[in-house]
Amino acid sequence: MSGEHRRTRGNGSRQTGAPTIADVAQLAGVSTMTVSRVINGENNVREATRAVVREAIARLDYAPNRAARSLAGASQIRLGLLYSNPSEAYLSAFLLGSLDEAGRGDIQLVVQKCDLDEHEREVAERLVASGVDGIILPPPLCDSPLVLDVLLAAQVPTVVVATGSSPAGVGRVSIDDRAAARAMTAHLLALGHDRVGFITGNPNLTASGERLAGYREALVEAARPVDEALIARGLFSYRSGLDATEELLDLDRPPSAIFASNDDMAAASVAVAHRRGLDVPGDLTVVGFDDSTLATTIWPELTTIHQPIADMSRAAVRMLAQMLRSRRDGTIKDAPDLVLDHTLVRRQSDAAPRRRPPSRSR
């Protein structure tokens, strides 16, 4: 038996044959935090010190693991993720992306539901008190004044996702919602649709306003009038999409195309059209926004704006981890602002407007 790696801890703990991060620190003559930084590849360690630590790791045949790293120097990052989203498809993509990235980076992710009501502040305070290092806010909480006030007051590093704006000191991951909506509206006009209906998102979210602005801008750029009757209010939920579509199709001059601010509401528009005996896209073009899994699970599959939801959540985890490392290193910089690319994805739900009377079922 090789006894050189077996030792008794100074605090009287039981013996073990597996070297720990504390053993490495003792042999190298440095702190466990320094060893942790070398293991994590952080750049705030002098090269000479880094070499000594690596030599100690090699001599002890030390293999870092999550438990040792967590106990030794709190090197494992704990991130909180507050969620509240009416779209299950959006939320699923967001959670999958963030959990995947957390696993890759040895990051512990604490997922907490937070409904948009009077308990927002309480839930946020409870998560802060749990000791998380930073917090990620996907929509709609990314625009919650109550939650943001709690986090800013507690000085908890925060990243918001899919919002049109962020407070000073808060990181942000987004796409250009206005440009995306402008491109989709221009696409519908180019197909020959003179009357394009628009279903807005939740008015409390800045992204909703950006998408509506993009719709208006495209009409103005094409020298088309902005008819307020063609703008129906939605809340990003399927139910609100049903109501908004009914409102648009009940107009004396209904639209030949409907652009919904997310795929859930677009799916609702398709359902209402079918219920009324309208063919999509023969009688009514319907397009959405997000490119969630729902876009390809209904028929016809939706033409939509691809928002890289999973990539945005991955980027948010990476961004927040880097913000925390910069804070620990004393190299705090301005909060990053990352804009990812969007794509207009054409499928089967859009077409040129029908030039004959619409077909209707009995």
PDB file of all heavy atoms in Angstrom, residues 303-339:
ATOM      1  N   THR A 303     -44.648  29.699 -40.338  1.00  0.00           N
ATOM      2  CA  THR A 303     -43.599  30.650 -40.707  1.00  0.00           C
ATOM      3  C   THR A 303     -43.414  31.548 -39.500  1.00  0.00           C
ATOM      4  O   THR A 303     -44.387  32.033 -38.914  1.00  0.00           O
ATOM      5  CB  THR A 303     -44.010  31.474 -41.931  1.00  0.00           C
ATOM      6  OG1 THR A 303     -44.053  30.615 -43.074  1.00  0.00           O
ATOM      7  CG2 THR A 303     -43.037  32.613 -42.185  1.00  0.00           C
ATOM      8  N   THR A 304     -42.178  31.778 -39.098  1.00  0.00           N
ATOM      9  CA  THR A 304     -41.960  32.483 -37.841  1.00  0.00           C
ATOM     10  C   THR A 304     -40.572  33.111 -37.807  1.00  0.00           C
ATOM     11  O   THR A 304     -39.743  32.867 -38.686  1.00  0.00           O
ATOM     12  CB  THR A 304     -42.136  31.513 -36.653  1.00  0.00           C
ATOM     13  OG1 THR A 304     -42.080  32.225 -35.417  1.00  0.00           O
ATOM     14  CG2 THR A 304     -41.063  30.437 -36.666  1.00  0.00           C
ATOM     15  N   ILE A 305     -40.340  33.916 -36.799  1.00  0.00           N
ATOM     16  CA  ILE A 305     -39.004  34.462 -36.538  1.00  0.00           C
ATOM     17  C   ILE A 305     -38.294  33.515 -35.591  1.00  0.00           C
ATOM     18  O   ILE A 305     -38.800  33.222 -34.500  1.00  0.00           O
ATOM     19  CB  ILE A 305     -39.085  35.869 -35.907  1.00  0.00           C
ATOM     20  CG1 ILE A 305     -39.637  36.887 -36.893  1.00  0.00           C
ATOM     21  CG2 ILE A 305     -37.698  36.299 -35.407  1.00  0.00           C
ATOM     22  CD1 ILE A 305     -38.749  37.176 -38.087  1.00  0.00           C
ATOM     23  N   HIS A 306     -37.150  33.009 -36.021  1.00  0.00           N
ATOM     24  CA  HIS A 306     -36.376  32.130 -35.142  1.00  0.00           C
ATOM     25  C   HIS A 306     -35.611  32.971 -34.132  1.00  0.00           C
ATOM     26  O   HIS A 306     -34.684  33.700 -34.473  1.00  0.00           O
ATOM     27  CB  HIS A 306     -35.398  31.276 -35.942  1.00  0.00           C
ATOM     28  CG  HIS A 306     -34.490  30.447 -35.071  1.00  0.00           C
ATOM     29  ND1 HIS A 306     -34.947  29.370 -34.354  1.00  0.00           N
ATOM     30  CD2 HIS A 306     -33.166  30.563 -34.782  1.00  0.00           C
ATOM     31  CE1 HIS A 306     -33.947  28.847 -33.663  1.00  0.00           C
ATOM     32  NE2 HIS A 306     -32.854  29.554 -33.902  1.00  0.00           N
ATOM     33  N   GLN A 307     -36.033  32.870 -32.879  1.00  0.00           N
ATOM     34  CA  GLN A 307     -35.300  33.475 -31.773  1.00  0.00           C
ATOM     35  C   GLN A 307     -34.540  32.325 -31.097  1.00  0.00           C
ATOM     36  O   GLN A 307     -35.178  31.381 -30.618  1.00  0.00           O
ATOM     37  CB  GLN A 307     -36.268  34.132 -30.782  1.00  0.00           C
ATOM     38  CG  GLN A 307     -35.572  34.743 -29.591  1.00  0.00           C
ATOM     39  CD  GLN A 307     -36.519  35.531 -28.692  1.00  0.00           C
ATOM     40  OE1 GLN A 307     -36.117  36.506 -28.068  1.00  0.00           O
ATOM     41  NE2 GLN A 307     -37.768  35.149 -28.624  1.00  0.00           N
ATOM     42  N   PRO A 308     -33.217  32.381 -31.036  1.00  0.00           N
ATOM     43  CA  PRO A 308     -32.456  31.243 -30.517  1.00  0.00           C
ATOM     44  C   PRO A 308     -32.586  31.125 -29.002  1.00  0.00           C
ATOM     45  O   PRO A 308     -31.662  31.456 -28.243  1.00  0.00           O
ATOM     46  CB  PRO A 308     -31.023  31.559 -30.948  1.00  0.00           C
ATOM     47  CG  PRO A 308     -30.975  33.055 -30.991  1.00  0.00           C
ATOM     48  CD  PRO A 308     -32.348  33.487 -31.462  1.00  0.00           C
ATOM     49  N   ILE A 309     -33.733  30.637 -28.546  1.00  0.00           N
ATOM     50  CA  ILE A 309     -34.056  30.644 -27.116  1.00  0.00           C
ATOM     51  C   ILE A 309     -33.024  29.875 -26.295  1.00  0.00           C
ATOM     52  O   ILE A 309     -32.511  30.374 -25.289  1.00  0.00           O
ATOM     53  CB  ILE A 309     -35.465  30.065 -26.896  1.00  0.00           C
ATOM     54  CG1 ILE A 309     -36.504  30.883 -27.661  1.00  0.00           C
ATOM     55  CG2 ILE A 309     -35.809  30.037 -25.410  1.00  0.00           C
ATOM     56  CD1 ILE A 309     -37.877  30.233 -27.733  1.00  0.00           C
ATOM     57  N   ALA A 310     -32.734  28.644 -26.718  1.00  0.00           N
ATOM     58  CA  ALA A 310     -31.775  27.834 -25.960  1.00  0.00           C
ATOM     59  C   ALA A 310     -30.388  28.470 -25.970  1.00  0.00           C
ATOM     60  O   ALA A 310     -29.691  28.482 -24.945  1.00  0.00           O
ATOM     61  CB  ALA A 310     -31.717  26.417 -26.530  1.00  0.00           C
ATOM     62  N   ASP A 311     -29.976  29.016 -27.106  1.00  0.00           N
ATOM     63  CA  ASP A 311     -28.665  29.678 -27.179  1.00  0.00           C
ATOM     64  C   ASP A 311     -28.634  30.930 -26.305  1.00  0.00           C
ATOM     65  O   ASP A 311     -27.593  31.258 -25.718  1.00  0.00           O
ATOM     66  CB  ASP A 311     -28.343  30.054 -28.625  1.00  0.00           C
ATOM     67  CG  ASP A 311     -27.991  28.848 -29.479  1.00  0.00           C
ATOM     68  OD1 ASP A 311     -27.688  27.786 -28.899  1.00  0.00           O
ATOM     69  OD2 ASP A 311     -28.036  28.963 -30.719  1.00  0.00           O
ATOM     70  N   MET A 312     -29.758  31.627 -26.229  1.00  0.00           N
ATOM     71  CA  MET A 312     -29.818  32.819 -25.378  1.00  0.00           C
ATOM     72  C   MET A 312     -29.669  32.448 -23.911  1.00  0.00           C
ATOM     73  O   MET A 312     -28.992  33.135 -23.139  1.00  0.00           O
ATOM     74  CB  MET A 312     -31.126  33.570 -25.630  1.00  0.00           C
ATOM     75  CG  MET A 312     -31.208  34.195 -27.018  1.00  0.00           C
ATOM     76  SD  MET A 312     -32.864  34.777 -27.443  1.00  0.00           S
ATOM     77  CE  MET A 312     -32.953  36.277 -26.465  1.00  0.00           C
ATOM     78  N   SER A 313     -30.301  31.341 -23.508  1.00  0.00           N
ATOM     79  CA  SER A 313     -30.190  30.921 -22.104  1.00  0.00           C
ATOM     80  C   SER A 313     -28.775  30.437 -21.805  1.00  0.00           C
ATOM     81  O   SER A 313     -28.235  30.700 -20.723  1.00  0.00           O
ATOM     82  CB  SER A 313     -31.223  29.845 -21.783  1.00  0.00           C
ATOM     83  OG  SER A 313     -31.006  28.675 -22.526  1.00  0.00           O
ATOM     84  N   ARG A 314     -28.161  29.731 -22.759  1.00  0.00           N
ATOM     85  CA  ARG A 314     -26.770  29.308 -22.565  1.00  0.00           C
ATOM     86  C   ARG A 314     -25.859  30.529 -22.411  1.00  0.00           C
ATOM     87  O   ARG A 314     -24.978  30.566 -21.547  1.00  0.00           O
ATOM     88  CB  ARG A 314     -26.301  28.458 -23.748  1.00  0.00           C
ATOM     89  CG  ARG A 314     -26.959  27.085 -23.853  1.00  0.00           C
ATOM     90  CD  ARG A 314     -26.297  26.257 -24.949  1.00  0.00           C
ATOM     91  NE  ARG A 314     -26.999  25.008 -25.155  1.00  0.00           N
ATOM     92  CZ  ARG A 314     -27.913  24.800 -26.100  1.00  0.00           C
ATOM     93  NH1 ARG A 314     -28.226  25.783 -26.948  1.00  0.00           N
ATOM     94  NH2 ARG A 314     -28.508  23.641 -26.222  1.00  0.00           N
ATOM     95  N   ALA A 315     -26.069  31.505 -23.281  1.00  0.00           N
ATOM     96  CA  ALA A 315     -25.249  32.720 -23.225  1.00  0.00           C
ATOM     97  C   ALA A 315     -25.444  33.450 -21.904  1.00  0.00           C
ATOM     98  O   ALA A 315     -24.491  34.024 -21.359  1.00  0.00           O
ATOM     99  CB  ALA A 315     -25.595  33.637 -24.399  1.00  0.00           C
ATOM    100  N   ALA A 316     -26.672  33.437 -21.379  1.00  0.00           N
ATOM    101  CA  ALA A 316     -26.941  34.104 -20.106  1.00  0.00           C
ATOM    102  C   ALA A 316     -26.181  33.442 -18.969  1.00  0.00           C
ATOM    103  O   ALA A 316     -25.627  34.126 -18.090  1.00  0.00           O
ATOM    104  CB  ALA A 316     -28.447  34.089 -19.822  1.00  0.00           C
ATOM    105  N   VAL A 317     -26.129  32.106 -18.961  1.00  0.00           N
ATOM    106  CA  VAL A 317     -25.379  31.390 -17.921  1.00  0.00           C
ATOM    107  C   VAL A 317     -23.890  31.719 -18.020  1.00  0.00           C
ATOM    108  O   VAL A 317     -23.232  32.017 -17.014  1.00  0.00           O
ATOM    109  CB  VAL A 317     -25.611  29.870 -18.042  1.00  0.00           C
ATOM    110  CG1 VAL A 317     -24.683  29.110 -17.089  1.00  0.00           C
ATOM    111  CG2 VAL A 317     -27.065  29.530 -17.736  1.00  0.00           C
ATOM    112  N   ARG A 318     -23.356  31.679 -19.236  1.00  0.00           N
ATOM    113  CA  ARG A 318     -21.936  31.999 -19.422  1.00  0.00           C
ATOM    114  C   ARG A 318     -21.645  33.443 -19.020  1.00  0.00           C
ATOM    115  O   ARG A 318     -20.641  33.728 -18.366  1.00  0.00           O
ATOM    116  CB  ARG A 318     -21.521  31.775 -20.882  1.00  0.00           C
ATOM    117  CG  ARG A 318     -21.458  30.317 -21.303  1.00  0.00           C
ATOM    118  CD  ARG A 318     -20.717  30.168 -22.627  1.00  0.00           C
ATOM    119  NE  ARG A 318     -21.371  30.901 -23.701  1.00  0.00           N
ATOM    120  CZ  ARG A 318     -22.303  30.389 -24.494  1.00  0.00           C
ATOM    121  NH1 ARG A 318     -22.713  29.137 -24.326  1.00  0.00           N
ATOM    122  NH2 ARG A 318     -22.849  31.101 -25.461  1.00  0.00           N
ATOM    123  N   MET A 319     -22.531  34.357 -19.419  1.00  0.00           N
ATOM    124  CA  MET A 319     -22.323  35.769 -19.117  1.00  0.00           C
ATOM    125  C   MET A 319     -22.313  36.016 -17.611  1.00  0.00           C
ATOM    126  O   MET A 319     -21.441  36.715 -17.082  1.00  0.00           O
ATOM    127  CB  MET A 319     -23.427  36.612 -19.776  1.00  0.00           C
ATOM    128  CG  MET A 319     -23.345  38.096 -19.461  1.00  0.00           C
ATOM    129  SD  MET A 319     -24.723  39.029 -20.187  1.00  0.00           S
ATOM    130  CE  MET A 319     -24.294  38.958 -21.930  1.00  0.00           C
ATOM    131  N   LEU A 320     -23.277  35.425 -16.911  1.00  0.00           N
ATOM    132  CA  LEU A 320     -23.368  35.646 -15.472  1.00  0.00           C
ATOM    133  C   LEU A 320     -22.176  35.028 -14.744  1.00  0.00           C
ATOM    134  O   LEU A 320     -21.634  35.621 -13.799  1.00  0.00           O
ATOM    135  CB  LEU A 320     -24.680  35.071 -14.937  1.00  0.00           C
ATOM    136  CG  LEU A 320     -25.026  35.373 -13.478  1.00  0.00           C
ATOM    137  CD1 LEU A 320     -24.895  36.864 -13.185  1.00  0.00           C
ATOM    138  CD2 LEU A 320     -26.438  34.887 -13.161  1.00  0.00           C
ATOM    139  N   ALA A 321     -21.734  33.845 -15.192  1.00  0.00           N
ATOM    140  CA  ALA A 321     -20.555  33.223 -14.583  1.00  0.00           C
ATOM    141  C   ALA A 321     -19.324  34.102 -14.759  1.00  0.00           C
ATOM    142  O   ALA A 321     -18.523  34.274 -13.832  1.00  0.00           O
ATOM    143  CB  ALA A 321     -20.321  31.844 -15.194  1.00  0.00           C
ATOM    144  N   GLN A 322     -19.173  34.703 -15.938  1.00  0.00           N
ATOM    145  CA  GLN A 322     -18.034  35.584 -16.183  1.00  0.00           C
ATOM    146  C   GLN A 322     -18.136  36.860 -15.351  1.00  0.00           C
ATOM    147  O   GLN A 322     -17.122  37.365 -14.843  1.00  0.00           O
ATOM    148  CB  GLN A 322     -17.947  35.938 -17.672  1.00  0.00           C
ATOM    149  CG  GLN A 322     -16.715  36.749 -18.034  1.00  0.00           C
ATOM    150  CD  GLN A 322     -15.425  36.075 -17.626  1.00  0.00           C
ATOM    151  OE1 GLN A 322     -15.210  34.904 -17.922  1.00  0.00           O
ATOM    152  NE2 GLN A 322     -14.569  36.782 -16.912  1.00  0.00           N
ATOM    153  N   MET A 323     -19.332  37.392 -15.186  1.00  0.00           N
ATOM    154  CA  MET A 323     -19.520  38.570 -14.344  1.00  0.00           C
ATOM    155  C   MET A 323     -19.103  38.277 -12.908  1.00  0.00           C
ATOM    156  O   MET A 323     -18.462  39.100 -12.238  1.00  0.00           O
ATOM    157  CB  MET A 323     -20.989  39.019 -14.385  1.00  0.00           C
ATOM    158  CG  MET A 323     -21.415  39.640 -15.713  1.00  0.00           C
ATOM    159  SD  MET A 323     -23.226  39.897 -15.836  1.00  0.00           S
ATOM    160  CE  MET A 323     -23.513  41.056 -14.480  1.00  0.00           C
ATOM    161  N   LEU A 324     -19.436  37.077 -12.430  1.00  0.00           N
ATOM    162  CA  LEU A 324     -19.083  36.695 -11.059  1.00  0.00           C
ATOM    163  C   LEU A 324     -17.575  36.519 -10.915  1.00  0.00           C
ATOM    164  O   LEU A 324     -16.985  36.929  -9.912  1.00  0.00           O
ATOM    165  CB  LEU A 324     -19.814  35.411 -10.683  1.00  0.00           C
ATOM    166  CG  LEU A 324     -21.318  35.557 -10.471  1.00  0.00           C
ATOM    167  CD1 LEU A 324     -21.996  34.201 -10.447  1.00  0.00           C
ATOM    168  CD2 LEU A 324     -21.609  36.323  -9.189  1.00  0.00           C
ATOM    169  N   ARG A 325     -16.951  35.902 -11.910  1.00  0.00           N
ATOM    170  CA  ARG A 325     -15.494  35.729 -11.840  1.00  0.00           C
ATOM    171  C   ARG A 325     -14.781  37.074 -11.865  1.00  0.00           C
ATOM    172  O   ARG A 325     -13.786  37.274 -11.174  1.00  0.00           O
ATOM    173  CB  ARG A 325     -15.023  34.849 -13.000  1.00  0.00           C
ATOM    174  CG  ARG A 325     -15.502  33.397 -12.896  1.00  0.00           C
ATOM    175  CD  ARG A 325     -14.869  32.511 -13.948  1.00  0.00           C
ATOM    176  NE  ARG A 325     -15.398  31.159 -13.876  1.00  0.00           N
ATOM    177  CZ  ARG A 325     -16.270  30.648 -14.728  1.00  0.00           C
ATOM    178  NH1 ARG A 325     -16.705  31.374 -15.750  1.00  0.00           N
ATOM    179  NH2 ARG A 325     -16.711  29.411 -14.580  1.00  0.00           N
ATOM    180  N   SER A 326     -15.293  38.004 -12.670  1.00  0.00           N
ATOM    181  CA  SER A 326     -14.687  39.334 -12.729  1.00  0.00           C
ATOM    182  C   SER A 326     -14.820  40.050 -11.392  1.00  0.00           C
ATOM    183  O   SER A 326     -13.904  40.739 -10.940  1.00  0.00           O
ATOM    184  CB  SER A 326     -15.362  40.162 -13.833  1.00  0.00           C
ATOM    185  OG  SER A 326     -15.133  39.599 -15.102  1.00  0.00           O
ATOM    186  N   ARG A 327     -15.953  39.842 -10.744  1.00  0.00           N
ATOM    187  CA  ARG A 327     -16.159  40.467  -9.432  1.00  0.00           C
ATOM    188  C   ARG A 327     -15.180  39.877  -8.416  1.00  0.00           C
ATOM    189  O   ARG A 327     -14.581  40.614  -7.617  1.00  0.00           O
ATOM    190  CB  ARG A 327     -17.596  40.256  -8.970  1.00  0.00           C
ATOM    191  CG  ARG A 327     -17.839  40.656  -7.530  1.00  0.00           C
ATOM    192  CD  ARG A 327     -19.286  40.486  -7.111  1.00  0.00           C
ATOM    193  NE  ARG A 327     -20.130  41.569  -7.607  1.00  0.00           N
ATOM    194  CZ  ARG A 327     -21.317  41.866  -7.094  1.00  0.00           C
ATOM    195  NH1 ARG A 327     -21.798  41.186  -6.091  1.00  0.00           N
ATOM    196  NH2 ARG A 327     -22.025  42.858  -7.593  1.00  0.00           N
ATOM    197  N   ARG A 328     -15.008  38.560  -8.449  1.00  0.00           N
ATOM    198  CA  ARG A 328     -14.080  37.921  -7.507  1.00  0.00           C
ATOM    199  C   ARG A 328     -12.642  38.349  -7.762  1.00  0.00           C
ATOM    200  O   ARG A 328     -11.847  38.486  -6.840  1.00  0.00           O
ATOM    201  CB  ARG A 328     -14.189  36.397  -7.635  1.00  0.00           C
ATOM    202  CG  ARG A 328     -15.506  35.824  -7.123  1.00  0.00           C
ATOM    203  CD  ARG A 328     -15.559  34.325  -7.365  1.00  0.00           C
ATOM    204  NE  ARG A 328     -16.829  33.761  -6.927  1.00  0.00           N
ATOM    205  CZ  ARG A 328     -17.174  32.497  -7.078  1.00  0.00           C
ATOM    206  NH1 ARG A 328     -16.337  31.659  -7.676  1.00  0.00           N
ATOM    207  NH2 ARG A 328     -18.344  32.058  -6.656  1.00  0.00           N
ATOM    208  N   ASP A 329     -12.309  38.547  -9.037  1.00  0.00           N
ATOM    209  CA  ASP A 329     -10.941  38.927  -9.397  1.00  0.00           C
ATOM    210  C   ASP A 329     -10.665  40.409  -9.167  1.00  0.00           C
ATOM    211  O   ASP A 329      -9.522  40.845  -9.288  1.00  0.00           O
ATOM    212  CB  ASP A 329     -10.677  38.614 -10.875  1.00  0.00           C
ATOM    213  CG  ASP A 329     -10.804  37.129 -11.163  1.00  0.00           C
ATOM    214  OD1 ASP A 329     -10.810  36.344 -10.196  1.00  0.00           O
ATOM    215  OD2 ASP A 329     -10.924  36.765 -12.347  1.00  0.00           O
ATOM    216  N   GLY A 330     -11.695  41.170  -8.899  1.00  0.00           N
ATOM    217  CA  GLY A 330     -11.526  42.607  -8.740  1.00  0.00           C
ATOM    218  C   GLY A 330     -11.377  43.335 -10.050  1.00  0.00           C
ATOM    219  O   GLY A 330     -10.879  44.462 -10.091  1.00  0.00           O
ATOM    220  N   THR A 331     -11.815  42.692 -11.146  1.00  0.00           N
ATOM    221  CA  THR A 331     -11.697  43.322 -12.472  1.00  0.00           C
ATOM    222  C   THR A 331     -13.089  43.614 -13.023  1.00  0.00           C
ATOM    223  O   THR A 331     -13.404  43.261 -14.158  1.00  0.00           O
ATOM    224  CB  THR A 331     -10.942  42.404 -13.443  1.00  0.00           C
ATOM    225  OG1 THR A 331     -11.634  41.131 -13.520  1.00  0.00           O
ATOM    226  CG2 THR A 331      -9.526  42.174 -12.964  1.00  0.00           C
ATOM    227  N   ILE A 332     -13.926  44.211 -12.197  1.00  0.00           N
ATOM    228  CA  ILE A 332     -15.314  44.470 -12.586  1.00  0.00           C
ATOM    229  C   ILE A 332     -15.363  45.421 -13.778  1.00  0.00           C
ATOM    230  O   ILE A 332     -14.727  46.470 -13.795  1.00  0.00           O
ATOM    231  CB  ILE A 332     -16.100  45.071 -11.409  1.00  0.00           C
ATOM    232  CG1 ILE A 332     -16.117  44.082 -10.234  1.00  0.00           C
ATOM    233  CG2 ILE A 332     -17.521  45.428 -11.828  1.00  0.00           C
ATOM    234  CD1 ILE A 332     -16.814  44.593  -9.012  1.00  0.00           C
ATOM    235  N   LYS A 333     -16.135  45.016 -14.785  1.00  0.00           N
ATOM    236  CA  LYS A 333     -16.311  45.836 -15.979  1.00  0.00           C
ATOM    237  C   LYS A 333     -17.784  46.196 -16.122  1.00  0.00           C
ATOM    238  O   LYS A 333     -18.622  45.774 -15.337  1.00  0.00           O
ATOM    239  CB  LYS A 333     -15.830  45.059 -17.209  1.00  0.00           C
ATOM    240  CG  LYS A 333     -14.384  44.602 -17.133  1.00  0.00           C
ATOM    241  CD  LYS A 333     -14.021  43.745 -18.335  1.00  0.00           C
ATOM    242  CE  LYS A 333     -12.594  43.232 -18.246  1.00  0.00           C
ATOM    243  NZ  LYS A 333     -12.243  42.357 -19.397  1.00  0.00           N
ATOM    244  N   ASP A 334     -18.089  46.993 -17.138  1.00  0.00           N
ATOM    245  CA  ASP A 334     -19.485  47.303 -17.412  1.00  0.00           C
ATOM    246  C   ASP A 334     -20.245  46.019 -17.720  1.00  0.00           C
ATOM    247  O   ASP A 334     -19.704  45.085 -18.315  1.00  0.00           O
ATOM    248  CB  ASP A 334     -19.596  48.270 -18.603  1.00  0.00           C
ATOM    249  CG  ASP A 334     -19.034  49.640 -18.276  1.00  0.00           C
ATOM    250  OD1 ASP A 334     -18.961  49.985 -17.084  1.00  0.00           O
ATOM    251  OD2 ASP A 334     -18.652  50.354 -19.228  1.00  0.00           O
ATOM    252  N   ALA A 335     -21.519  45.975 -17.320  1.00  0.00           N
ATOM    253  CA  ALA A 335     -22.334  44.796 -17.572  1.00  0.00           C
ATOM    254  C   ALA A 335     -22.433  44.561 -19.081  1.00  0.00           C
ATOM    255  O   ALA A 335     -22.722  45.486 -19.843  1.00  0.00           O
ATOM    256  CB  ALA A 335     -23.723  44.975 -16.964  1.00  0.00           C
ATOM    257  N   PRO A 336     -22.187  43.343 -19.532  1.00  0.00           N
ATOM    258  CA  PRO A 336     -22.206  43.067 -20.976  1.00  0.00           C
ATOM    259  C   PRO A 336     -23.610  43.117 -21.557  1.00  0.00           C
ATOM    260  O   PRO A 336     -24.604  42.911 -20.862  1.00  0.00           O
ATOM    261  CB  PRO A 336     -21.616  41.658 -21.076  1.00  0.00           C
ATOM    262  CG  PRO A 336     -21.844  41.051 -19.726  1.00  0.00           C
ATOM    263  CD  PRO A 336     -21.811  42.168 -18.737  1.00  0.00           C
ATOM    264  N   ASP A 337     -23.681  43.393 -22.848  1.00  0.00           N
ATOM    265  CA  ASP A 337     -24.953  43.449 -23.577  1.00  0.00           C
ATOM    266  C   ASP A 337     -24.743  42.685 -24.880  1.00  0.00           C
ATOM    267  O   ASP A 337     -24.053  43.150 -25.776  1.00  0.00           O
ATOM    268  CB  ASP A 337     -25.337  44.901 -23.844  1.00  0.00           C
ATOM    269  CG  ASP A 337     -26.743  45.035 -24.408  1.00  0.00           C
ATOM    270  OD1 ASP A 337     -27.343  44.005 -24.777  1.00  0.00           O
ATOM    271  OD2 ASP A 337     -27.254  46.170 -24.484  1.00  0.00           O
ATOM    272  N   LEU A 338     -25.341  41.505 -24.977  1.00  0.00           N
ATOM    273  CA  LEU A 338     -25.126  40.622 -26.117  1.00  0.00           C
ATOM    274  C   LEU A 338     -26.392  40.517 -26.951  1.00  0.00           C
ATOM    275  O   LEU A 338     -27.465  40.194 -26.432  1.00  0.00           O
ATOM    276  CB  LEU A 338     -24.712  39.229 -25.624  1.00  0.00           C
ATOM    277  CG  LEU A 338     -24.504  38.148 -26.688  1.00  0.00           C
ATOM    278  CD1 LEU A 338     -23.341  38.519 -27.608  1.00  0.00           C
ATOM    279  CD2 LEU A 338     -24.250  36.801 -26.028  1.00  0.00           C
ATOM    280  N   VAL A 339     -26.273  40.807 -28.253  1.00  0.00           N
ATOM    281  CA  VAL A 339     -27.402  40.693 -29.179  1.00  0.00           C
ATOM    282  C   VAL A 339     -27.120  39.540 -30.135  1.00  0.00           C
ATOM    283  O   VAL A 339     -26.150  39.582 -30.894  1.00  0.00           O
ATOM    284  CB  VAL A 339     -27.621  42.001 -29.965  1.00  0.00           C
ATOM    285  CG1 VAL A 339     -28.794  41.843 -30.929  1.00  0.00           C
ATOM    286  CG2 VAL A 339     -27.878  43.160 -29.001  1.00  0.00           C
TER     287      VAL A 339
END
